[in-house]
Amino acid sequence: AGAALRAGVAVASGRPSFAAEPPAAHFRLSFAAAAGTGDIAEGIRRLRTACTELAVPVD
């Protein structure tokens, strides 16, 4: 979540959304406030930047 925020994307912990599941690394992403597909594409680009910062493999 911290890396995403530094990249300009706010995310929330997904844990409260999966109360019956075993603990795992999830986050919740909402795109309801996006003005259009360009905003969504930019958010995905920024999340990729966050993943790169954390050395998370992305395909």
Side-chain angles (χ1 to χ4, degrees), residues 2-41:
L5 192 55
R6 286 189 294 280
V9 178
V11 297
S13 170
R15 185 74 194 124
S17 300
F18 299 99
E21 300 293 325
H26 298 286
F27 70 86
R28 191 146 180 91
L29 180 63
S30 173
F31 54 88
T37 56
D39 284 353
I40 295 170

